Amino acid sequence: MSGRMGLALAGATLVIAAVLLPNKAEAQFGLRGGPLGVARFAVGHMLGVSRLRHSRMAVRGSRYRSAALRSQDLRGAERGQLSNPYVLRAALTAQAALSGWHGGRRPQGWWRHPDGSYGWVGPVFWPFAHDDLTTAIMFGDTTSLSFYGYGDIYAAIFSPYAATELAAYTAPQSRRGRRVPTAETLCEASDTGGLPVDRIAAAVAPNELQRTALDELASAWNGAREAIHTACPEQAPATASERLGLMRERLEAMIKAIDAIEAPLAKFAGLLNDDQKARLNALASDRRAALASRQPKDSQKDAAKDVVKDAQAAAACRPDYDPRYDEKAQRQYEQLVQQQWPANDIASTLHLDEVARARLEVLQDTTLRTMQTLSACPTEPAATPQARLPAVKARLQTMLQAVGDVTDALDDFQADLSDEQKAGFESIGPKRGA
């Protein structure tokens, strides 16, 4: 691993604190721009930008990497100054994700999230899983969590990495001049170390009994971190089925982690008096204010774009919104489908018969339906950590169900394919990412 990569990844630990299988008629209607397809795509697409207003990225493309290093002022961290975790996170995942893709020569990849970060970093899915749970539950910030969805499932089916590129992430660490981080390094370096105990203790000033409960909660949080870490891949998944399986394992580990901290969190919160609870709950608003004060001012041009996109997002979330009359959203959806799912080209390349073509359509439509399931209009986060916990769990369960449905559709599609056809299907991903 290069010195620069090592500094970026090591610095992270110091600075960053029900989909139903569609029948063909329904699938075709959704694909042609009906409510099931277009509405949720419009919402998900526009909210992907709207949610970033409070964490506007100051850099683009390859500059994420240098921004990571500039963000890591360890002296500032010692003084209690909060670096922008969104910029840092995007920079770290971009550097790691792209270092093994086309030899690190490309400035950005097609599977990146709206904030510039990546959900798939080589063979690792959701590298900041534990951090996202901590941030969502303790600070009520689900920004990063909300970016996971259709794009990650699509990237699992049509991997952007060739087999040799993925192998670089699981190669021995002893090679000199290494530029590609190992999967194990990624899983370890993207974890800040657990519950922010010191911040909580400073806020609530616990008595001896409360401090014991806080220590128990911290221990459970560490156990949750280990549960997520065990789901880190030791080998690179070679097929779409294996990648979807890894997604399931990671999501199941995150849900298991939430279950492990539920009881100790309730116990600790139950021991607090009303004033202490208020101060614990205020950690979320204090963090938002601190981050907002450190964001660069948007240019007038960017600010104007934000206003337009926010207006579109708000319109799509109105109860009376009818996607059949949203021509722009329909065009966007049709363009995405044609670019990402050229079913006729896939069928001709793999020489599919009519049965396999129909199963490919079901796979396509089932995957596209995850836009509908995993997009949601913005809501105010719950006021307390214990109230936010079940909401975060429900989101993960919804995504787990979506991944399961896509897995079933993929298994059906590949059931009667020859080994040659399966190999041809796997090769489509890296070609598409070139």
Side-chain angles (χ1 to χ4, degrees):
M1 179 163 54
S2 69
R4 192 175 185 183
M5 174 67 78
L7 175 61
L9 291 175
T13 63
L14 298 175
V15 180
I16 307 177
V19 180
L20 298 177
L21 190 65
N23 61 43
K24 188 169 183 179
E26 288 180 328
Q28 290 297 323
F29 180 60
L31 195 60
R32 296 293 180 265
L36 295 179
V38 178
R40 287 310 179 189
F41 169 67
V43 172
H45 176 73
M46 289 184 281
L47 289 182
V49 179
S50 178
R51 286 169 179 157
L52 283 177
R53 290 206 55 162
H54 68 288
S55 59
R56 179 62 51 193
M57 305 299 292
V59 290
R60 291 291 182 268
S62 62
R63 286 180 291 166
Y64 282 121
R65 306 178 195 186
S66 58
L69 302 179
R70 290 198 304 270
S71 297
Q72 297 178 75
D73 180 358
L74 300 187
R75 292 170 299 174
E78 291 171 358
R79 294 193 300 268
Q81 296 177 359
L82 183 64
S83 297
N84 187 330
Y86 300 102
V87 172
L88 183 58
R89 172 203 183 94
L92 292 171
T93 57
Q95 182 170 334
L98 301 178
S99 64
W101 189 59
H102 294 284
R105 297 185 300 272
R106 298 300 178 91
Q108 66 184 46
W110 55 261
W111 71 105
R112 67 175 179 169
H113 287 180
D115 66 341
S117 65
Y118 288 80
W120 279 100
V121 179
V124 178
F125 171 67
W126 210 319
F128 285 86
H130 182 258
D131 290 335
D132 284 346
L133 292 186
T134 302
T135 303
I137 295 170
M138 294 309 303
F139 300 111
D141 186 351
T142 59
T143 302
S144 298
L145 189 148
S146 66
F147 290 144
Y148 283 85
Y150 165 79
D152 302 292
I153 296 174
Y154 179 87
I157 299 173
F158 300 106
S159 172
Y161 298 97
T164 54
E165 294 172 338
L166 280 177
Y169 287 93
T170 54
Q173 186 79 310
S174 58
R175 276 193 326 198
R176 300 184 66 181
R178 182 181 180 88
R179 296 184 64 252
V180 181
T182 64
E184 182 179 2
T185 299
L186 288 168
C187 288
E188 291 178 350
S190 60
D191 184 1
T192 62
L195 188 71
V197 176
D198 292 341
R199 292 184 65 184
I200 295 173
V204 305
N207 59 32
E208 184 176 351
L209 181 61
Q210 293 166 342
R211 181 68 206 206
T212 299
L214 178 58
D215 290 341
E216 291 175 357
L217 175 59
S219 178
W221 219 282
N222 288 335
R225 178 184 58 192
E226 291 303 315
I228 294 173
H229 188 269
T230 57
C232 188
E234 296 181 359
Q235 297 180 337
T239 66
S241 294
E242 291 177 1
R243 289 186 291 272
L244 289 169
L246 176 59
M247 293 183 79
R248 290 199 310 273
E249 290 177 12
R250 293 285 282 177
L251 290 166
E252 288 169 351
M254 294 173 73
I255 294 171
K256 181 179 179 181
I258 290 177
D259 290 338
I261 63 177
E262 183 177 9
L265 176 60
K267 177 181 177 179
F268 171 66
L271 293 172
L272 302 179
N273 60 40
D274 290 344
D275 180 61
Q276 288 174 313
K277 289 178 180 178
R279 281 182 271 148
L280 176 65
N281 299 337
L283 289 176
S285 57
D286 291 345
R287 181 179 184 275
R288 287 193 296 270
L291 286 174
S293 68
R294 288 168 173 80
Q295 302 309 312
K297 296 289 185 181
D298 284 341
S299 67
Q300 292 184 354
K301 184 177 181 181
D302 286 341
K305 290 181 180 178
D306 286 342
V307 171
V308 173
K309 289 169 181 174
D310 282 358
Q312 292 175 333
C317 287
R318 288 200 310 260
D320 60 348
Y321 173 73
D322 190 336
R324 292 174 297 179
Y325 300 105
D326 191 338
E327 296 182 1
K328 182 177 180 180
Q330 292 188 25
R331 287 196 303 270
Q332 290 173 329
Y333 183 76
E334 291 288 352
Q335 183 180 21
L336 180 141
V337 171
Q338 291 169 8
Q339 289 176 345
Q340 294 191 354
W341 291 90
N344 291 334
D345 291 343
I346 295 174
S348 61
T349 300
L350 302 184
H351 306 291
L352 301 180
D353 58 25
E354 288 302 313
V355 173
R357 280 175 176 262
R359 290 174 174 172
L360 176 61
E361 288 184 10
V362 173
L363 172 61
Q364 169 186 287
D365 297 335
T366 303
T367 307
L368 286 166
R369 292 261 178 135
T370 64
M371 290 183 189
Q372 168 191 340
T373 315
L374 297 173
S375 296
C377 291
T379 57
E380 287 294 323
T384 68
Q386 58 269 37
R388 291 191 287 265
L389 188 144
V392 173
K393 180 179 178 179
R395 166 72 184 187
L396 295 175
Q397 288 175 324
T398 300
M399 187 167 185
L400 179 61
Q401 179 64 52
V403 172
D405 289 341
V406 173
T407 300
D408 290 342
L410 177 66
D411 290 344
D412 288 343
F413 166 61
Q414 294 187 331
D416 296 325
L417 297 186
S418 66
D419 291 342
E420 182 180 1
Q421 287 173 311
K422 291 178 181 178
F425 184 76
E426 292 299 332
S427 70
I428 289 174
K431 288 181 181 179
R432 198 175 298 255

